[in-house]
Each structure stands twice: as structure tokens, then as C-alpha cells.
């Protein structure tokens, strides 16, 4: 999550949706924000206290955390936005990310189908690096009453165009989106990773995301 008092925006960072690039682009503008250094110092103190003083919103915090923490009149003035991603594609990206950077969390499953079935098993022990990628993306966008409270939902599939639109609404110009964490170890088409059973596993688990965000598996043409 990225908050800018000067530019009055709140970026809700959902994992594996291009958020690292968005943060990198917007972070540079925060350095000119007169609130940046007080916020930075508070963040350091929060870290030293084990975040017990609650002055730092976590990187992947849901918008409800900011809504409950910030004064209502201030929260309502912020331009709140996030990026989402096709759930089937996101799961492929998550698999390769964990296999590449945190293989100890694969649970002994080095193939995508086996890992996905294990990952979506409700009886599996919770693991942060695994479970953040199976939380519903719409949970990040909603308040406690199930209302979507972000003002703009961009899509990973058109990241640059939607980032430009978010910057236009914020009032920022000439902000270049860097390309960060581009995977080179996966097939381009996420659909090639699935069979009918694993595709249905994702469809069932992420049914609300698929319905509210308008995603589909889009099977390849015969």
C-alpha cells in the first residue's frame, strides 16, 4: 500500500498484479512530498517496534485497513486505486515466483498442477507466501460491508494504459512505468498450464473475482 498526502492517492498493492512497477514509478514522486520524511521516520520506528505502534500500513494491506485507520474525511478525499489480474494467469505467475525465489514453500510439488491442488487444499497449513496469492483480489477492494471503495481498478493485462489513466486522475504527468520482475521462466500463454480439472479448481476458488472483475479462462481455439 502506498499513501501520498501531497498528491492525495492511495495505491492498494495486490500481489502479482504489476504493483512493484507501479510502486517504483510513484515512489519517486513521494520524495518531493513534504510529508514523506515524517512518514519515513514513523515507518522506521514502526519497524523497530515490530510494528506494534501501527504507523505503517503493510505492503499488501487491503483497502479496509486504511479505511478503518484513517479519518473518514481524509480517506474519502483520496484517489484510491488498485490493479487486478486474471486469476488463472496470476496462479501461474505465483507458481514460478515461489519456485524461483522461495522453493522451500512449494510443499514438495515441483509441477504446477500438483502445487495448485496442494495450495488450494483447505486442510493445508497456512503459509504467508503461499496464501497471499489465493486470497480473493476483490477482498482488497472492499470495506467491511462488502462495498468496493476504490475509485479505479486497473488491469494487469493493460498495465501501461491503465497506469497512465490513474496518473491522469491523480494529476501526475510524465511518470514512466518501469518494468520490474519480468519472468523469463514461464510459457507466455497461461492456458497451457491447465487441464479441465485444474482450470475448474481456479474457477471455483476465485468465483467472486471472476464474476465481479469480468475475467474468463478463454480456452484456446481448436
Amino acid at each position: 500500500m502506498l499513501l501520498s498526502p501531497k498528491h492525495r492517492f492511495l495505491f492498494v498493492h495486490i500481489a502479482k498484479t504489476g504493483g512493484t512497477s507501479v510502486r517504483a514509478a510513484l515512489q519517486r514522486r513521494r520524495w518531493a512530498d513534504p510529508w514523506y520524511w515524517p512518514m519515513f521516520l514513523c515507518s522506521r520506528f514502526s519497524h523497530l517496534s515490530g510494528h506494534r505502534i501501527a504507523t505503517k500500513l503493510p505492503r499488501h494491506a487491503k483497502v479496509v485497513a486504511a479505511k478503518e485507520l484513517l479519518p473518514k474525511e481524509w480517506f474519502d478525499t483520496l484517489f484510491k486505486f488498485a490493479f487486478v489480474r486474471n486469476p488463472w494467469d496470476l496462479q501461474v505467475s505465483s507458481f514460478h515466483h515461489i519456485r524461483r525465489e522461495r522453493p522451500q514453500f512449494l510443499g514438495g510439488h515441483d509441477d504446477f498442477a500438483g502445487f495448485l491442488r496442494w495450495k488450494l487444499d483447505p486442510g493445508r497449513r497456512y503459509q504467508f507466501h503461499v496464501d497471499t496469492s489465493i486470497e480473493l483480489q476483490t477482498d482488497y477492494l472492499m470495506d467491511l460491508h462488502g462495498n468496493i471503495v476504490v475509485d479505479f481498478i486497473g488491469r494487469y493485462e493493460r498495465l501501461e494504459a491503465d497506469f497512465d489513466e490513474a496518473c491522469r486522475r491523480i494529476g501526475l504527468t510524465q511518470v514512466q512505468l518501469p518494468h520490474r520482475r519480468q519472468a523469463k521462466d514461464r510459457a507466455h500463454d497461461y492456458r497451457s498450464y491447465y487441464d479441465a480439472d485444474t482450470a475448474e479448481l481456479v474457477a471455483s476458488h476465485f468465483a467472486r473475482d471472476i464474476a465481479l472483475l469480468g475475467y474468463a479462462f478463454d480456452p484456446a481455439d481448436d
Side-chain angles (χ1 to χ4, degrees):
M1 185 170 284
L2 196 64
L3 171 66
S4 173
K6 178 180 179 179
H7 298 292
R8 295 200 174 193
F9 71 75
L10 179 72
F11 170 56
V12 181
H13 184 175
I14 303 173
K16 311 307 298 177
T17 63
T20 299
S21 295
V22 172
R23 290 178 65 93
L26 295 175
Q27 188 77 31
R28 301 165 188 164
R29 297 300 180 99
R30 294 182 72 216
W31 295 338
D33 190 327
W35 283 98
Y36 175 77
W37 293 109
M39 291 170 68
F40 175 80
L41 290 174
C42 288
S43 172
R44 295 302 92 191
F45 283 122
S46 177
H47 178 76
L48 290 173
S49 73
H51 304 296
R52 292 183 179 87
I53 60 175
T55 58
K56 182 178 181 181
L57 291 167
R59 181 185 185 91
H60 296 300
K62 298 175 175 65
V63 71
V64 68
K67 188 175 189 296
E68 295 299 306
L69 179 65
L70 298 173
K72 181 181 186 304
E73 61 276 12
W74 174 245
F75 178 84
D76 290 345
T77 67
L78 297 172
F79 173 70
K80 300 167 284 291
F81 70 105
F83 283 84
V84 296
R85 186 172 186 171
N86 183 304
W88 290 277
D89 186 32
L90 190 150
Q91 292 312 305
V92 174
S93 177
S94 171
F95 167 68
H96 281 284
H97 171 78
I98 292 174
R99 188 170 70 172
R100 183 175 60 251
E101 300 188 18
R102 296 182 173 90
Q104 69 272 25
F105 293 116
L106 285 173
H109 303 278
D110 196 45
D111 65 294
F112 174 73
F115 177 65
L116 183 67
R117 291 189 177 94
W118 172 77
K119 182 183 190 179
L120 295 178
D121 180 357
R124 177 182 53 79
R125 180 176 60 86
Y126 177 86
Q127 297 182 67
F128 173 78
H129 294 293
V130 175
D131 286 80
T132 51
S133 64
I134 61 173
E135 291 185 353
L136 295 182
Q137 295 177 73
T138 45
D139 280 348
Y140 285 81
L141 314 176
M142 294 178 167
D143 64 12
L144 293 175
H145 305 289
N147 301 309
I148 292 179
V149 294
V150 297
D151 303 299
F152 178 71
I153 302 173
R155 293 180 182 268
Y156 177 85
E157 295 77 20
R158 51 174 189 256
L159 181 62
E160 291 191 10
D162 283 356
F163 176 72
D164 289 344
E165 174 62 16
C167 288
R168 186 191 68 79
R169 297 198 191 186
I170 294 169
L172 297 176
T173 59
Q174 298 180 333
V175 182
Q176 185 174 2
L177 187 68
H179 295 283
R180 299 291 182 93
R181 297 188 178 184
Q182 291 183 310
K184 297 179 174 62
D185 54 356
R186 56 162 289 181
H188 177 69
D189 190 341
Y190 66 84
R191 294 170 296 187
S192 65
Y193 287 82
Y194 290 91
D195 57 26
D197 290 339
T198 52
E200 179 55 33
L201 277 177
V202 173
S204 176
H205 185 86
F206 296 98
R208 190 179 73 190
D209 283 358
I210 292 164
L212 293 181
L213 301 175
Y215 280 113
F217 182 70
D218 288 331
D221 295 333
D222 294 333

